[in-house]
Amino acid sequence: MTERQSTEEYLEGYAEILAGVCATRRRLTREEREALRSRGERAAEAGIGLRAVVRAHLAAAQRVRPDLPQADADHLLAAVEQAVDAFAEGHERAQHVAMRQQEAARREFIDDLLYGRSDLGRLAERAERFGLLLSHAHAVAVAQGREPYSDGYEVTRTVESSLAARFGNRRILLTTKDGRLICVAPADEPDVLAHFAKQAYAATDGGQVAIGRSHPGAGGVVHSYEEALNALDLASRMNLNDPVLYAADLLVYPVLTRDRQAMADLVRTVLGPLQQARGGAKPLLDTLTAYFDSGCVTAQAARRLALSVRAMTYRLDRIHRLTGADPGDPVQRYTLQTAVVGARLLDWPDQPL
């Protein structure tokens, strides 16, 4: 079908409108404008571009002009301008409606994908529309910054442009959820998530990115997404400041907290005596945290706490006397360190056990 044939049905009555407007030197009536808007909507819904129909309107006006008296022809340009404006308004209105519908469908798909809702077969079919093959394994990265982000934000557009420029049309899904940036990528392309992490960290002005492990199928996307969220939550509770967190590196923490009561008993038994110290348990718990985070190097831990080495040594001795466990002894150190991790996970001593 030629371009003229494809646009012909949307020009029905157009020549008569032009002739009537030019003959009376009037503006288009409300009914005429609404009819043109309606045709513009139908053209957009049929997938006909605005450029093609505008060109058809101009060509039709050129065919009408020789049949008009010279006095009427002088008004033709103004009539064409009004007609094309009404037609374009309807065309754009239909485009906006279609875009909102597409965005609503995309948002519904993302919610279903990340929460594991909907029939898996149907979900896989919908996924192909958005560039994912759920029969393959995927991994999910989640980035959060100091403020929430949504689709259309400058931060989102910046990261999306960088991914598109680097990886082109690879099967990548970039979206937002609950104020966070989310990237879903095939498991066999880890460089995608690494690049996303780098760009998201820069775009969010020092935010934090967590990357879940890769898992197969639609359920695998949910699993990886939840791992990334849990990693971010863990980082908040444990004061982990690494810009990029890998769920695979943090598996020990869910193991430690799987039996919460047992962990609470350990913290209470091992660290409970620290509450007898002047100022409570918090300063000495911070001392142990800095000591273990420094690889049990007293001088480095002292610098972290802005203490002298002598003061640091005094605190470690005080901990030994109160708990009966020596932080410098390899066996006793393990018990203390596990209890310290448990305290951080359980937010002790701020929260009672």
Side-chain angles (χ1 to χ4, degrees), residues 14 32 55-56 79 83 110 138 149 152 155 249 304 317 322:
Y14 175 60
E32 289 168 338
R55 194 160 47 229
I110 289 169
H138 290 82
Y149 305 104
V155 167
D249 297 337
R304 287 190 177 212
D317 288 341
L322 287 172

Side-chain angles (χ1 to χ4, degrees), residues 168-249:
N169 295 323
R170 299 191 197 181
R171 295 184 177 275
I172 304 168
L173 177 64
L174 180 68
T175 186
T176 60
K177 183 67 178 171
D178 298 330
R180 303 182 183 94
L181 298 179
I182 299 168
C183 183
V184 183
D188 58 357
E189 297 196 36
D191 52 330
V192 172
L193 295 185
H195 185 74
F196 166 80
K198 179 179 179 181
Q199 297 302 316
Y201 177 76
T204 57
D205 192 25
Q208 198 167 38
V209 183
I211 301 177
R213 294 178 296 167
S214 62
H215 300 280
V221 174
V222 179
H223 194 174
S224 184
Y225 173 62
E226 290 177 345
E227 286 183 343
L229 289 181
N230 290 337
L232 289 173
D233 178 66
L234 182 65
S236 175
R237 288 190 287 154
M238 295 289 294
N239 296 320
L240 304 178
N241 298 318
D242 300 40
V244 182
L245 305 165
Y246 291 90
D249 297 337

Side-chain angles (χ1 to χ4, degrees), residues 39-190:
R39 291 173 194 166
E41 289 179 353
R42 297 203 315 271
E45 291 167 356
I48 299 176
L50 186 58
R51 180 185 299 179
V53 287
V54 168
R55 194 160 47 229
H57 278 71
L58 295 177
Q62 289 179 335
R63 293 193 297 272
V64 169
R65 190 181 188 284
D67 298 331
L68 297 175
Q70 182 59 45
D72 295 344
D74 292 340
H75 196 66
L76 180 61
L77 182 59
V80 171
E81 181 181 1
Q82 295 173 54
V84 169
D85 183 66
F87 191 95
E89 182 182 346
H91 194 281
E92 292 172 356
R93 187 165 60 192
Q95 292 279 43
H96 290 157
V97 169
M99 288 176 61
R100 287 195 295 270
Q101 291 174 339
Q102 291 174 0
E103 179 56 32
R106 185 175 187 271
R107 177 53 54 189
E108 181 182 8
F109 163 73
I110 289 169
D111 289 345
D112 290 347
L113 177 68
L114 297 181
Y115 289 132
R117 296 195 296 250
S118 184
D119 173 74
L120 292 183
R122 175 65 180 144
L123 191 63
E125 291 178 7
R126 293 159 62 198
E128 293 190 26
R129 292 173 48 196
F130 301 102
L132 297 181
L133 291 177
L134 295 185
S135 57
H136 298 173
H138 290 82
V140 180
V142 179
Q144 66 180 14
R146 296 181 177 87
E147 59 185 53
Y149 305 104
S150 185
D151 295 342
Y153 278 44
E154 183 179 353
V155 167
T156 309
R157 294 197 305 270
T158 298
V159 176
E160 187 172 25
S161 297
S162 179
L163 284 172
R166 175 75 178 273
F167 301 105
N169 295 323
R170 299 191 197 181
R171 295 184 177 275
I172 304 168
L173 177 64
L174 180 68
T175 186
T176 60
K177 183 67 178 171
D178 298 330
R180 303 182 183 94
L181 298 179
I182 299 168
C183 183
V184 183
D188 58 357
E189 297 196 36

Side-chain angles (χ1 to χ4, degrees), residues 273-278 284 311-325 327:
L274 297 182
Q275 294 177 308
Q276 302 172 22
R278 182 183 302 174
L284 295 182
M312 185 69 189
T313 302
Y314 171 79
R315 285 194 179 188
L316 292 175
D317 288 341
R318 179 68 172 152
I319 291 168
H320 185 187
R321 289 196 301 271
L322 287 172
T323 64

Side-chain angles (χ1 to χ4, degrees), residues 266-275 285 288 323 336 339-340 343 348:
L266 176 67
V267 173
R268 189 164 40 242
T269 301
V270 175
L271 301 179
L274 297 182
Q275 294 177 308
L285 183 61
L288 283 173
T323 64
L336 274 173
V340 168
W348 183 86

